[in-house]
Amino acid sequence: MRQSAKIIAIWLFALFVYFTFLVIYSPLTSPISGHVNQMIQLLLFLITIFIIKKEPNKKNRFIFINFAIFFSLSIFSLGFDFIDNNLFVEKYSKHFYFQYVLIAYVIFNALAIIYLVIDLLFRDFKIYQKYICSLLIVLSIAGFVFYPYFYDPKYLYETNDIKQWKIIDQHIRNSTVQLSALEIANQLTLKSWENGHEVAELLPEENLRRIESLIPYLEKDNWRVLLFAPLYRHNIYMDVLIIGFILLFFGYQYKKDPPQGAYIDKIMFLVLILSSMDIIHNWGFIKSVEWGSLAELFAIGQYITVFAELMMVLLFAFRLKFISSIHGEFYETELAVNPEKISRWRDWIDNLVLAHFFNFKLFNGRLFQNPSEK
């Protein structure tokens, strides 16, 4: 059986098992677009496993091991609908599961990208040295950003916004008449909270302003936006880190033009798009007020992400096909043994861009030169 047929067969079997369990044991609570996203990531995970098995370049194998770990998180994402709210911790199981899987996604994505950049910048480093550098960067930044979530799993319920929202919500529930923001402000003085503890009372002007800003979150499920806003904000910080290293990758490629494994630069470009889309999604979440409309916008945005991930499936499949071929195995082996004596591989995407957007004579250098033409 061909590799592609094996991958598709395993993927379809996994989806069959998943949907069977979903029908039997769990209602569908996640958006359909989110499930499509996770299913594509599962396919990427399977393709990456085959790449690891076929990879002739040991150094590149670890690059794709990191991607495999990242894509494997799709299995945990697909498992979200099976988590009962009281499975691990009473009332908070779904919250904890979602929170830590989301954190794991951004951490392992950062590790995969930063390791790849370290590998490009410091080719002479041993593998364990590259991992030490990558882990130091990722864990130090992630530890600073996500420390509150590991110190207190219920951190999102202890934020200043949620504490103040709870007080207003309780006050309105206890009232027999509908109150305006000014009437609430005359009856209630909010406090400022830090790490779950009262710090100080708000001044009258600030008290009114805060009440006015929090009242929209009292409608229906809008409070969920307020609850998860810090988590999405912290994810933006990590996405900015990832984008920074991707730009460093392309800057170094432009400046030094080192030979690189086939399709890796295209994969990095798609990760740049995905990380940028993630920032847009997260920023839209933070700035939204209505949970219902946010869920609809999120579903639409997911389809854009899904398109970029489908492009990534193609690139990973092209990578697998390339390293499985004789000339691809030779190129990747030579790249590992004699990188200074080999030109960068020019794939069909390079040929397309070169033919339609550039003057070949101006760019007929090492950047776009095919080894077969030398």
Side-chain angles (χ1 to χ4, degrees):
M1 186 183 293
R2 294 176 58 188
Q3 282 185 139
S4 56
K6 286 182 181 178
I7 293 170
I8 295 298
I10 296 171
W11 183 58
L12 291 177
F13 176 75
L15 294 184
F16 172 77
V17 172
Y18 168 69
F19 282 111
T20 300
F21 277 95
L22 194 64
V23 170
I24 296 173
Y25 296 107
S26 173
L28 188 65
T29 59
S30 301
I32 296 296
S33 59
H35 279 82
V36 173
N37 185 351
Q38 294 151 11
M39 288 186 286
I40 294 174
Q41 289 180 22
L42 179 61
L43 178 58
L44 281 165
F45 169 67
L46 295 174
I47 297 174
T48 308
I49 293 297
F50 275 76
I51 290 176
I52 294 168
K53 290 173 61 179
K54 287 284 186 178
E55 183 62 62
N57 187 334
K58 181 181 177 182
K59 292 183 178 181
N60 283 344
R61 189 177 302 141
F62 284 93
I63 290 174
F64 287 96
I65 286 174
N66 297 333
F67 277 114
I69 294 171
F70 170 64
F71 293 134
S72 70
L73 293 173
S74 61
I75 299 171
F76 294 94
S77 292
L78 289 169
F80 176 76
D81 288 322
F82 300 100
I83 301 299
D84 183 83
N85 235 356
N86 298 312
L87 181 61
F88 303 119
V89 182
E90 188 177 358
K91 291 170 50 177
Y92 293 100
S93 292
K94 272 186 174 290
H95 174 84
F96 290 164
Y97 191 88
F98 173 79
Q99 172 178 279
Y100 291 120
V101 168
L102 193 61
I103 291 173
Y105 257 110
V106 73
I107 288 177
F108 283 109
N109 188 17
L111 178 62
I113 297 305
I114 291 175
Y115 179 89
L116 200 160
V117 176
I118 295 294
D119 177 73
L120 177 70
L121 297 179
F122 307 103
R123 289 184 174 272
D124 295 332
F125 277 23
K126 296 184 182 299
I127 291 172
Y128 77 89
Q129 292 173 322
K130 295 174 185 177
Y131 270 111
I132 289 174
C133 292
S134 304
L135 287 170
L136 281 175
I137 295 170
V138 173
L139 294 181
S140 59
I141 301 298
F144 176 77
V145 171
F146 295 117
Y147 165 76
Y149 301 89
F150 293 98
Y151 178 77
D152 180 8
K154 297 180 184 178
Y155 164 74
L156 290 176
Y157 287 91
E158 302 295 329
T159 61
N160 186 60
D161 287 344
I162 287 297
K163 286 286 189 181
Q164 293 176 347
W165 174 87
K166 285 180 179 178
I167 293 170
I168 299 173
D169 182 60
Q170 188 63 43
H171 184 78
I172 290 179
R173 288 176 185 273
N174 293 336
S175 176
T176 56
V177 296
Q178 188 172 356
L179 301 173
S180 66
L182 182 59
E183 289 171 329
I184 297 173
N186 290 333
Q187 300 171 14
L188 182 68
T189 301
L190 296 177
K191 298 177 177 60
S192 179
W193 298 77
E194 187 174 337
N195 298 325
H197 302 288
E198 296 180 11
V199 177
E201 287 189 348
L202 299 183
L203 296 174
E205 296 82 2
E206 177 65 14
N207 186 54
L208 176 59
R209 189 189 67 80
R210 284 297 294 161
I211 290 172
E212 288 175 338
S213 66
L214 291 172
I215 280 180
Y217 295 101
L218 298 172
E219 296 291 330
K220 299 180 181 179
D221 288 330
N222 293 352
W223 64 274
R224 295 179 182 274
V225 178
L226 204 63
L227 177 69
F228 288 108
L231 179 60
Y232 285 94
R233 185 179 297 109
H234 292 146
N235 272 10
I236 288 176
Y237 299 155
M238 294 298 293
D239 281 322
V240 169
L241 174 69
I242 292 168
I243 289 175
F245 271 87
I246 294 175
L247 294 178
L248 175 61
F249 172 89
F250 284 115
Y252 188 83
Q253 284 279 78
Y254 175 78
K255 186 71 175 178
K256 300 293 185 180
D257 191 21
Q260 184 71 34
Y263 297 105
I264 288 181
D265 53 343
K266 280 77 176 179
I267 291 171
M268 288 290 275
F269 179 73
L270 283 178
V271 176
L272 176 64
I273 294 176
L274 288 169
S275 296
S276 301
M277 285 302 303
D278 198 43
I279 289 177
I280 294 172
H281 290 158
N282 292 338
W283 186 252
F285 187 102
I286 293 168
K287 292 300 179 182
S288 296
V289 174
E290 294 186 9
W291 177 260
S293 61
L294 173 64
E296 294 175 3
L297 290 172
F298 178 80
I300 295 171
Q302 280 293 308
Y303 287 116
I304 301 174
T305 300
V306 162
F307 176 77
E309 287 180 339
L310 285 173
M311 295 298 100
M312 187 170 286
V313 167
L314 287 177
L315 290 181
F316 272 70
F318 289 146
R319 171 75 187 180
L320 177 59
K321 182 180 179 181
F322 178 75
I323 62 175
S324 300
S325 65
I326 296 175
H327 58 275
E329 183 178 356
F330 171 78
Y331 172 77
E332 296 292 336
T333 303
E334 283 296 304
L335 188 62
V337 178
N338 299 306
E340 69 282 351
K341 295 182 180 180
I342 190 167
S343 300
R344 177 187 181 276
W345 179 265
R346 193 178 78 217
D347 53 56
W348 67 271
I349 300 176
D350 291 328
N351 291 334
L352 181 67
V353 172
L354 188 60
H356 291 84
F357 298 101
F358 294 107
N359 184 336
F360 178 79
K361 293 181 180 179
L362 294 177
F363 292 90
N364 188 23
R366 187 177 173 213
L367 178 62
F368 288 111
Q369 196 169 18
N370 194 316
S372 62
E373 298 175 355
K374 295 194 74 173

